[in-house]
């Protein structure tokens, strides 16, 4: 007859394994967190960074930021429910390790970020200067995103420590996603700084030209000499489109790899019902 899977909880009592006591909720937890942090919150955070002051303006940046991050927060909480239910059902110790403690701190920081974002939004008015709440929200979100990236890597290693087989394609997918994210953002940050410097130089050149025409200093520099050569600008919209597509592709690869290439550990406690009837189960 078909075998039944038994496992021993912390107290040593053997009983039949169910879906919630298997390792499947941990994989579901990992998939939720990867989608939440490495894709949704990641893209939503950078949308606020680059599209808020896009040239030309893009007022849709705010609803996109709210929806992307909001769905990411919801998915993160769903992933948290999966793993908490698994730990409670299995009878495992709570907050047992760096990943668990860091995950709790990240969840608290995530909820604080949502609160700060709401405060910054509802206190905004035209011409409002940057406030401490704005700064905390901006830099807190960026630091949480970096920390969450490390936390996802710790989570995959924890699956390995639990005896699960994590395929190399999973590590390649998450490594490619993290490397691409940091590489693209680093490149555009440099370009973004350069672009602002170009605008500052052009503005200064135009001001000098107006001053010279008004009968000012005859030695004023020629504005054409200060202006950079004509170039096609790499806009914020173009960058976010490329960034979003790249992150979406890697997210699909990573989730697919996690679903198909993470196998459950071998469970030695397999017994037949006939053997069980004769008292073979210890």
């Amino acid at each position: 007859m078909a075998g039944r899977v038994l496992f021993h909880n912390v107290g040593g009592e053997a009983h039949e394994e169910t879906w919630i006591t298997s390792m499947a909720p941990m994989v579901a937890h990992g998939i939720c967190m990867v989608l939440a942090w490495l894709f949704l919150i990641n893209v939503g955070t950078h949308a606020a960074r680059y599209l808020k002051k896009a040239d030309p303006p893009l007022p849709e940046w705010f609803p996109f930021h709210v929806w992307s991050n909001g769905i990411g927060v919801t998915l993160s909480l769903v992933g948290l429910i999966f793993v908490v239910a698994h730990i409670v059902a299995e009878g495992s110790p709570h907050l047992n390790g760096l990943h668990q403690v860091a995950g709790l701190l990240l969840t608290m920081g995530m909820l604080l970020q949502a609160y700060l974002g709401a405060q910054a939004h509802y206190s905004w008015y035209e011409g409002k200067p940057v406030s401490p709440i704005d700064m905390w929200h901006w830099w807190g979100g960026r630091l949480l995103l970096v920390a969450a990236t490390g936390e996802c890597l710790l989570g995959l290693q924890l699956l390995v420590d639990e005896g699960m087989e994590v395929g190399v394609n999973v590590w390649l997918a998450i490594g490619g996603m993290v490397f691409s994210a940091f590489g693209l953002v680093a490149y555009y940050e440099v370009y973004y700084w350069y672009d602002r410097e170009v605008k500052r130089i052009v503005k200064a050149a135009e001001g000098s030209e107006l001053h010279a025409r008004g009968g000012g200093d005859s030695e004023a520099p020629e504005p054409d000499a200060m202006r950079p050569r004509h170039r096609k600008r790499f806009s914020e919209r173009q960058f976010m489109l490329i960034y979003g597509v790249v992150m979406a592709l890697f997210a699909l690869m990573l989730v697919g790899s996690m679903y198909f290439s993470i196998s459950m550990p071998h469970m030695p406690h397999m017994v037949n019902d006939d053997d069980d009837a004769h008292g073979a189960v210890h």
Side-chain angles (χ1 to χ4, degrees):
M1 297 179 66
R4 291 181 288 115
V5 180
L6 303 183
F7 79 99
H8 296 277
N9 63 9
V10 177
E13 180 184 357
H15 53 91
E16 189 171 359
E17 183 179 75
T18 62
W19 185 88
I20 199 64
T21 56
S22 71
M23 302 301 286
M26 292 185 66
V27 177
H29 164 78
I31 290 175
C32 286
M33 293 304 180
V34 162
L35 285 175
W37 284 100
L38 298 188
F39 178 56
L40 290 166
I41 296 177
N42 175 15
V43 175
T45 298
H46 287 97
R49 163 67 176 159
Y50 298 117
L51 298 182
K52 183 178 181 179
K53 297 182 179 179
D55 184 15
L58 186 66
E60 293 82 7
W61 76 267
F62 182 72
F64 180 85
H65 171 69
V66 171
W67 278 102
S68 183
N69 283 27
I71 296 173
V73 168
T74 303
L75 196 57
S76 177
L77 294 176
V78 170
L80 180 64
I81 292 172
F82 274 131
V83 77
V84 169
H86 168 76
I87 290 174
V88 171
E90 193 182 37
S92 301
H94 300 188
L95 299 178
N96 184 28
L98 176 62
H99 179 71
Q100 292 86 342
V101 173
L104 177 62
L105 293 177
L106 273 173
T107 301
M108 295 169 61
M110 177 184 70
L111 297 176
L112 177 61
Q113 271 294 100
Y115 170 77
L116 290 175
Q119 287 293 315
H121 173 65
Y122 288 112
S123 63
W124 182 87
Y125 55 87
E126 191 68 35
K128 177 180 177 291
V130 175
S131 68
I133 290 181
D134 296 326
M135 295 298 293
W136 276 105
H137 183 60
W138 297 345
W139 287 102
R142 295 163 191 170
L143 291 175
L144 280 177
L145 191 56
V146 174
T149 302
E151 178 71 348
C152 288
L153 294 173
L154 279 176
L156 280 180
Q157 183 58 47
L158 183 61
L159 293 180
V160 175
D161 296 340
E162 291 286 339
M164 304 184 74
E165 296 181 4
V166 179
V168 66
N169 53 333
V170 176
W171 293 105
L172 289 175
I174 194 170
M177 190 173 192
V178 172
F179 179 81
S180 299
F182 279 94
L184 286 170
V185 170
Y187 166 78
Y188 199 70
E189 278 295 318
V190 173
Y191 178 86
Y192 203 50
W193 170 84
Y194 171 75
D195 187 63
R196 283 179 293 182
E197 285 297 301
V198 168
K199 290 179 179 178
R200 183 186 62 81
I201 291 172
V202 170
K203 186 176 181 180
E206 291 173 347
S208 298
E209 183 179 11
L210 290 174
H211 178 72
R213 288 178 178 177
D217 187 2
S218 60
E219 300 297 325
E222 289 293 331
D224 290 337
M226 297 183 66
R227 292 192 182 99
R229 293 181 179 180
H230 176 71
R231 60 193 176 88
K232 187 176 181 180
R233 183 172 178 271
F234 186 18
S235 70
E236 295 87 352
R237 298 185 189 206
Q238 292 171 324
F239 171 75
M240 281 307 305
L241 178 61
I242 293 173
Y243 189 78
V245 169
V246 171
M247 291 300 103
L249 291 175
F250 271 112
L252 288 174
M253 291 170 56
L254 182 53
V255 169
S257 298
M258 292 178 69
Y259 184 81
F260 291 107
S261 301
I262 295 181
S263 57
M264 303 300 164
H266 175 66
M267 302 298 294
H269 307 292
M270 294 290 296
V271 298
N272 291 325
D273 291 342
D274 293 340
D275 295 334
D276 190 19
H278 289 87
V281 180
H282 301 291

